[in-house]
Every structure is written in structure tokens, then in C-alpha cells.
Amino acid sequence: MIDEDQGLYTIGTVAELIEEHPETLRVWERNDLIHPDRKGYQRRYSNNDVKRLQFIKYLIDKKGLNIAGVKHLISMYSCWYNRNCKGGAYQNSPISVNEAKACWKTKGTYCLVASDKAEMCNSCALLRSCTEGKEL
């Protein structure tokens, strides 16, 4: 089984794939939009990183958002940095979806509606860092 979160691609390869300049990818990284793996000083992008970058590019190019807007929007995705995000579902599927929130992982799908708010909180890195050493 392929690990979609394993860093495989160099910045040059990914820049070519999404048709952006490598420096643009560095700017997005400096602005905390993406966190590629590092092998020494070299960035290694995973398949999911490529999907995130394509989503960022879509938000900037097609929706007209600037970096601050993208940063604000992705902060609403509890699974943005989650390594085990399962992706979304299609509009007419039997699973409840939020039709106002496009899934970043699977093009043409929407984020799932959490049946329990704990599902969202348990996967949130912020929750883990806020509650370290504290009892809930």
C-alpha cells in the first residue's frame, strides 16, 4: 500500500507538476501553508502535499484569495495537516457532506460532516499542543 504522506518529490518536480515557480512554493511554506518533509536540507513533498498545493493554487488563481485569505480558510480544515485524512465524499453520496466546504484532498468532493465534534478535535494538532500536561 502506498503511503500518501511519504515525502517523495523534490521542489523542482512539484513546481513543474503544479506549474508554479519553486520560489512560490517556498513562500507558501514560509507562510505556513504547507509543511513538506525534510531530508537534510532538501524538501520532500508527498502525494498529499501535492494535493494541498493544488488546492492552494486553486484558491489563489480561481477564487482570488491572497496568502492571508488562504491561511484563514485552511485554518478551518481540521484535517489540513492530518496524516490520516480520509478525504471527502461526493454531493449525492449517502454520507453527510458540507456542500459549502470543498475537500482539499479529493477534487470534486466535499468535506464530511462530523457526526461527533470529538472527531474533529481528536485530529487537531492545536488541541494536542494546548492540552499537553493538562487534564480535560
Side-chain angles (χ1 to χ4, degrees), residues 38-42:
R38 296 275 185 158
K39 189 173 183 178
Y41 289 105
Q42 194 173 38

PDB file of all heavy atoms in Angstrom, residues 38-42:
ATOM      1  N   ARG A  38      11.561  16.983   5.333  1.00  0.00           N
ATOM      2  CA  ARG A  38      12.926  17.397   5.012  1.00  0.00           C
ATOM      3  C   ARG A  38      13.846  16.187   5.092  1.00  0.00           C
ATOM      4  O   ARG A  38      13.733  15.369   5.983  1.00  0.00           O
ATOM      5  CB  ARG A  38      13.426  18.444   6.013  1.00  0.00           C
ATOM      6  CG  ARG A  38      12.679  19.749   5.995  1.00  0.00           C
ATOM      7  CD  ARG A  38      13.249  20.627   4.951  1.00  0.00           C
ATOM      8  NE  ARG A  38      12.612  21.940   4.985  1.00  0.00           N
ATOM      9  CZ  ARG A  38      13.149  23.009   4.508  1.00  0.00           C
ATOM     10  NH1 ARG A  38      14.333  22.950   3.953  1.00  0.00           N
ATOM     11  NH2 ARG A  38      12.524  24.142   4.534  1.00  0.00           N
ATOM     12  N   LYS A  39      14.725  16.106   4.139  1.00  0.00           N
ATOM     13  CA  LYS A  39      15.793  15.109   4.171  1.00  0.00           C
ATOM     14  C   LYS A  39      17.071  15.921   4.063  1.00  0.00           C
ATOM     15  O   LYS A  39      17.440  16.359   2.974  1.00  0.00           O
ATOM     16  CB  LYS A  39      15.647  14.126   3.012  1.00  0.00           C
ATOM     17  CG  LYS A  39      16.589  12.958   3.102  1.00  0.00           C
ATOM     18  CD  LYS A  39      16.290  11.934   2.030  1.00  0.00           C
ATOM     19  CE  LYS A  39      17.207  10.751   2.213  1.00  0.00           C
ATOM     20  NZ  LYS A  39      16.923   9.721   1.221  1.00  0.00           N
ATOM     21  N   GLY A  40      17.680  16.160   5.210  1.00  0.00           N
ATOM     22  CA  GLY A  40      18.788  17.099   5.259  1.00  0.00           C
ATOM     23  C   GLY A  40      18.229  18.494   5.010  1.00  0.00           C
ATOM     24  O   GLY A  40      17.303  18.926   5.669  1.00  0.00           O
ATOM     25  N   TYR A  41      18.768  19.161   4.005  1.00  0.00           N
ATOM     26  CA  TYR A  41      18.254  20.491   3.656  1.00  0.00           C
ATOM     27  C   TYR A  41      17.259  20.447   2.499  1.00  0.00           C
ATOM     28  O   TYR A  41      16.750  21.466   2.072  1.00  0.00           O
ATOM     29  CB  TYR A  41      19.418  21.421   3.287  1.00  0.00           C
ATOM     30  CG  TYR A  41      20.257  21.800   4.475  1.00  0.00           C
ATOM     31  CD1 TYR A  41      21.510  21.251   4.679  1.00  0.00           C
ATOM     32  CD2 TYR A  41      19.766  22.698   5.412  1.00  0.00           C
ATOM     33  CE1 TYR A  41      22.268  21.587   5.782  1.00  0.00           C
ATOM     34  CE2 TYR A  41      20.521  23.037   6.530  1.00  0.00           C
ATOM     35  CZ  TYR A  41      21.766  22.484   6.703  1.00  0.00           C
ATOM     36  OH  TYR A  41      22.510  22.821   7.794  1.00  0.00           O
ATOM     37  N   GLN A  42      17.016  19.267   1.992  1.00  0.00           N
ATOM     38  CA  GLN A  42      16.152  19.132   0.813  1.00  0.00           C
ATOM     39  C   GLN A  42      14.698  18.860   1.210  1.00  0.00           C
ATOM     40  O   GLN A  42      14.427  17.998   2.037  1.00  0.00           O
ATOM     41  CB  GLN A  42      16.666  18.000  -0.069  1.00  0.00           C
ATOM     42  CG  GLN A  42      16.065  17.986  -1.439  1.00  0.00           C
ATOM     43  CD  GLN A  42      16.743  16.952  -2.322  1.00  0.00           C
ATOM     44  OE1 GLN A  42      17.105  15.872  -1.884  1.00  0.00           O
ATOM     45  NE2 GLN A  42      16.914  17.304  -3.582  1.00  0.00           N
TER      46      GLN A  42
END
